[in-house]
Amino acid sequence: MSKFNNLFEPFTFNKGITLKNRVVMSPMTTWSSNDDYTISDEEVAYYKKE
């Protein structure tokens, strides 16, 4: 499994945003954001349980 170790390493984008690891989930998959495009409490709960 050593070839996948880099998935769990931090990654920094050119604009300076750093991810804790390289495993991400698209925000368009749950359809539970607010009408003003902000994240809802339900969406936060969904991401926490995944």
Side-chain angles (χ1 to χ4, degrees):
M1 292 300 261
S2 63
K3 72 178 187 176
F4 299 110
N5 285 343
N6 65 341
L7 288 174
F8 303 101
E9 302 272 330
F11 179 82
T12 303
F13 290 94
N14 292 337
K15 298 285 185 175
I17 296 171
T18 300
L19 300 177
K20 180 171 75 173
N21 57 53
R22 298 168 190 215
V23 180
V24 297
M25 186 164 117
S26 170
M28 298 178 288
T29 58
T30 63
W31 295 90
S32 58
S33 63
N34 298 317
D35 290 337
D36 64 354
Y37 305 112
T38 58
I39 191 168
S40 66
D41 293 337
E42 291 84 7
E43 194 162 10
V44 171
Y46 179 83
Y47 281 106
K48 282 183 178 181
K49 73 178 184 178
E50 290 301 309

